[in-house]
Amino acid sequence: MCSPEIVRLAHDGAPQPSRRAMLGLAGLAGLAGLAAVAPAPVLAAPRPGAVVDLTHTLTPQLPVWPGNPPIAMVPVAWHASGGFDQFALGYWEHTGTHLDAPAHRIPGGATTEALEVEDLVAPLVVLDISAKAAGDADAVVTVADIDSWRRQHGEIPERAFVAMYSGWEHRIAEPSNFLGLDAQGRPHAPGFSEEAAHYLVAQCGIVGAGVDTLSLDCGVDPDFGAHTAFLGAGRYGVEMLANLATVPPAGARIVVGAPKHAGGTGGPCRVLALT
C-alpha cells in the first residue's frame, strides 16, 4: 500500500494533523468499518443539458470487495511547512467507482492505456431492476429486461453503454448491507446474467456495461459469467456507479474518465452523464 518512507514522512516533524489528514491516517490503519459513509444524495431529475456525477467520493469508509484494503490517504506535505498540501494515495485498482479493463479478467486482454477513447463517450442506457432487486439480493438483468426496455424506449443505440440500476447505492452507508455477505462469506448483490451480457455484446453492439454494485456479476455467480462475457469481448465495465436513478433511461450520454496507467487492469474513474 504505502512504503515505510511515506509513512515516516507523514509522521516525523508533522504539525497537528487536520481533519482531512486524520481521514487519510484512518484509511491507512484500515478503519474502514468504524465510520459511516454518507448515503448518496437523492437528487431531483436533471434538466436537459445537465451534467450528473455518477461517481462515489473515494473515502476510507467506502465499501470494497471482501479482502481488499480501503484507500489510504497519507499526508506528506503541508501548507505550513512548504506552501503546498499533498497526500500519498494507496489503493487497489478496483476501488470505489472504477473501471474494469478486459485484462482484469482475460489473459492478454486490453489494459487501461489501450482502451479506445471513442468508447469512453457513449449513449447511456439505464436498465432499472430496482423493483425486483428490492425483494431479491441475487436479482439479475435478463434478456427479458432488455427487451422490455426496447419496447418502451426503442432500439439500444449502436455503441451504447448499458448500466444496471438496482438501487444498491442506498445501502452504501452500511458496508455490510452493501456487500450482503452470508454466513459462508459469499456476497449477495444484483448484476448482469451471463446470457444478458452475451446478448448486449452480440445483438446490441455495446461498448461497455456498468452497475451500481461492486461486480458486473450477481454476487452468487461463482463463474463470473458476466465479467467473462463483457471483458472477453473486448468491452469494459464500470462498477459502483452512483446516482443512476437521476438520469433518464434513454437519451443521455456517458463520459468515462478512465485511468491511463501502463498495463493497468482498471482503476478509479470519474464518470459523468450528460442529459
Side-chain angles (χ1 to χ4, degrees):
M1 290 291 290
C2 294
S3 71
E5 178 67 10
I6 288 176
V7 176
R8 184 187 65 76
L9 288 171
H11 291 276
D12 290 356
Q16 287 294 317
S18 65
R19 183 185 67 83
R20 188 168 57 156
M22 290 304 292
L23 176 66
L25 295 174
L28 182 64
L31 301 181
L34 300 185
V37 175
V42 178
L43 304 178
R47 67 186 186 284
V51 179
V52 179
D53 195 348
L54 303 183
T55 317
H56 288 290
T57 300
L58 272 176
T59 75
Q61 292 76 41
L62 205 63
V64 294
W65 191 255
N68 289 7
I71 183 174
M73 299 172 59
V74 181
V76 294
W78 299 267
H79 289 142
S81 61
F84 294 90
D85 255 12
Q86 184 171 196
F87 287 91
L89 300 179
Y91 52 79
W92 287 23
E93 287 177 313
H94 299 268
T95 300
T97 301
H98 67 274
L99 179 138
D100 282 7
H104 180 47
R105 177 66 176 164
I106 306 301
T111 50
T112 53
E113 80 282 13
L115 296 175
E116 297 290 341
V117 293
E118 293 85 357
D119 292 345
L120 302 177
V121 181
L124 175 61
V125 168
V126 179
L127 302 174
D128 186 345
I129 66 164
S130 58
K132 67 177 177 179
D136 180 8
D138 299 320
V140 293
V141 173
T142 64
V143 172
D145 293 321
I146 298 167
D147 288 342
S148 175
W149 187 98
R150 293 167 67 194
R151 286 193 295 271
Q152 295 179 63
H153 305 289
E155 290 302 316
I156 291 176
E158 185 73 14
R159 303 189 69 75
F161 180 95
V162 177
M164 174 200 78
Y165 172 66
S166 69
W168 231 243
E169 66 179 326
H170 300 300
R171 299 172 174 237
I172 205 165
E174 299 180 41
S176 61
N177 196 24
F178 189 84
L179 294 172
L181 298 182
D182 61 23
Q184 287 73 44
R186 296 172 303 188
H188 291 266
F192 284 92
S193 70
E194 181 178 357
E195 181 186 20
H198 281 297
Y199 184 84
L200 288 168
V201 168
Q203 302 301 320
C204 304
I206 66 168
V207 297
V211 292
D212 57 356
T213 60
L214 272 173
S215 177
L216 295 170
D217 293 284
C218 165
V220 294
D221 181 355
D223 299 319
F224 303 104
H227 268 93
T228 303
F230 287 131
L231 305 186
R235 275 54 169 187
Y236 66 90
V238 179
E239 294 166 330
M240 214 170 182
L241 288 164
N243 298 322
L244 285 171
T246 68
V247 296
R253 292 184 70 78
I254 194 169
V255 179
V256 180
K260 190 181 179 182
H261 52 295
T265 72
C269 54
R270 190 72 180 263
V271 185
L272 306 175
L274 312 180
T275 65

